[in-house]
Amino acid sequence: MEITLQQTESLRRMLETPARRIVIVSHTNPDGDAVGSSLAWRDVLVRMGHRVTCVVPNRYPYFLDWMTGIDGIVTFKTDEKGVAASAIAEADIIFCLDFNAVSRLEILSDTLAGNTAAKRVLIDHHLSPDPDFDLMFSYPDSSSTCFVVYALIEKMFGTQIITPAMAEALYVGMMTDTGNFSFSYLTPALYRALAVLAETGIDIPRIHNNVYNAYTEGRARLFGYAIDRKMKLLEEGTVAYMSLLESEMRRFQFQQGDSEGFVNYALTIKKVKMSAMFLAHRKFIRVSLRSRGDVDVNLFARRYFNGGGHRNAAGGKSFVSMDDTIAHYVRSVREFAEAGGLG
Ligand code: 5GP
Ligand code: MN
């Protein structure tokens, strides 16, 4: 990740006018990185004297409820007073964090597109960002958006401005997007950043406990059910998939975020190189894909599920029934394997 002086100077100029009206938006189904980067970046901007509103399209998972300042984030889906819509309409600057295309905002896309006057700044780590931003901090070689925010803070203000609350927020994103520090891009620079965050005195075991050991009983039982009853293997045990219907989710009192980590679990099987999760929603099926090593699920998601993401973690959508979605996956995996996609 190399942030140039030209980029930071452009951002500095945008922020030098006092009391700018700023909106920070992040993606649908906001995760630890989306929320963590939004909270930390909000604190930076508020410290500079700007007026900041954080908006997410739908609710963040309940295991992030403990994060400092999270109740200030406006959830567009349930925002009856229209706080998000008016903040977006009046914004001078809109920061887009942890996503690469406005379409990823789904129900919030049109509202955002409605403000054509605001400057748009992207801070992200996904591949192939849309080009229509006024300023872009796009680093697909960064393990999280929180690490990009950290690098921006370091370069523009110095890490001494990082408070324990900001450090916690940044740590959450770095931890969750790296799968608890086990995926790719675990660079020395990331560990140097973590050391600086640790120096603020944050309680790191408490953060891990708050995020990973805060599930409901229903979620634990759903997990067992999904692995035992719903996980299927293809291609001589090298490709996995799992599906959950709405009726199955209801049976285990499903809450937003409960299926987090399910798709990764199949990759704990030594032979499995690629894993998919199909989660039914009212209007479509959400597809999550994970892989190991050179198996490129970003490519797979783009080619077969109209989606994208990163090489080893991607997603998309399907607008046909669960059975048809699975049949499409099975066929697509075969074609992908024949083209050498599974190595
Ligand atoms: P998850 O499986 O955690 O929902 O998503 C994994 C990754 O895939 C995320 O980094 C996310 O940005 C990307 N992703 C998920 N769904 C979509 C989608 O519908 N379209 C695109 N372009 N990317 C997606
Ligand atoms: Mn991220």
Side-chain angles (χ1 to χ4, degrees), residues 12-283:
R12 218 184 279 281
R13 275 194 298 277
M14 260 185 219
L15 296 172
E16 72 193 0
T17 313
R20 306 239 78 181
R21 289 165 300 189
I22 295 177
V23 170
I24 297 174
V25 290
S26 200
H27 59 80
T28 305
N29 297 335
D31 56 10
D33 193 30
V35 170
S37 59
S38 295
L39 292 178
W41 192 238
R42 177 178 71 184
D43 283 0
V44 171
L45 298 172
V46 166
R47 186 179 182 276
M48 295 174 81
H50 300 297
R51 289 179 281 164
V52 190
T53 310
C54 285
V55 180
V56 289
N58 61 340
R59 199 174 142 69
Y60 44 82
Y62 60 90
F63 53 77
L64 299 178
D65 282 349
W66 59 276
M67 293 177 74
T68 308
I70 200 165
D71 33 3
I73 296 182
V74 184
T75 303
F76 180 74
K77 196 173 176 180
T78 50
D79 173 30
E80 280 154 18
K81 292 195 191 125
V83 175
S86 40
I88 288 169
E90 290 161 10
D92 303 308
I93 308 171
I94 299 174
F95 283 96
C96 297
L97 266 58
D98 200 35
F99 64 96
N100 57 359
V102 172
S103 62
R104 290 278 291 127
L105 296 176
E106 302 186 5
I107 56 170
L108 185 57
S109 301
D110 291 345
T111 306
L112 200 85
N115 181 338
T116 49
K119 294 275 185 214
R120 279 168 200 226
V121 184
L122 179 75
I123 304 180
D124 180 47
H125 70 132
H126 291 88
L127 292 162
S128 322
D130 266 5
D132 55 354
F133 290 93
D134 296 290
L135 181 59
M136 286 168 83
F137 296 91
S138 165
Y139 303 97
D141 62 348
S142 172
S143 53
S144 61
T145 296
C146 278
F147 186 45
V148 181
V149 168
Y150 174 88
L152 263 179
I153 293 172
E154 185 181 41
K155 195 128 190 153
M156 291 184 72
F157 311 100
T159 56
Q160 75 287 343
I161 74 157
I162 299 177
T163 61
M166 285 159 72
E168 260 184 4
L170 293 172
Y171 189 91
V172 166
M174 293 173 183
M175 172 183 87
T176 52
D177 258 34
T178 57
N180 226 344
F181 306 107
S182 67
F183 303 154
S184 33
Y185 303 117
L186 297 175
T187 58
L190 174 68
Y191 285 96
R192 280 194 288 273
L194 291 164
V196 171
L197 300 184
E199 271 166 358
T200 67
I202 54 172
D203 185 343
I204 290 174
R206 190 182 70 104
I207 297 175
H208 285 252
N209 199 47
N210 282 350
V211 173
Y212 292 117
N213 304 330
Y215 291 121
T216 59
E217 179 186 340
R219 192 268 183 188
R221 295 193 187 283
L222 176 66
F223 182 60
Y225 169 80
I227 297 296
D228 183 35
R229 307 283 295 279
K230 304 302 301 278
M231 187 179 73
K232 311 281 178 213
L233 296 173
L234 305 168
E235 302 292 325
E236 293 165 346
T238 60
V239 174
Y241 70 90
M242 213 185 276
S243 62
L244 286 176
L245 299 166
E246 282 184 290
S247 56
E248 293 169 311
M249 295 192 268
R250 266 198 305 275
R251 206 188 316 158
F252 295 93
Q253 299 87 42
F254 186 89
Q255 295 179 54
Q256 175 75 37
D258 272 355
S259 60
E260 202 80 14
F262 284 22
V263 64
N264 301 80
Y265 201 78
L267 288 172
T268 63
I269 302 167
K270 194 166 185 181
K271 276 174 76 180
V272 173
K273 296 178 188 173
M274 172 168 157
S275 164
M277 168 76 168
F278 304 107
L279 200 66
H281 279 249
R282 240 168 310 159
K283 294 188 183 137

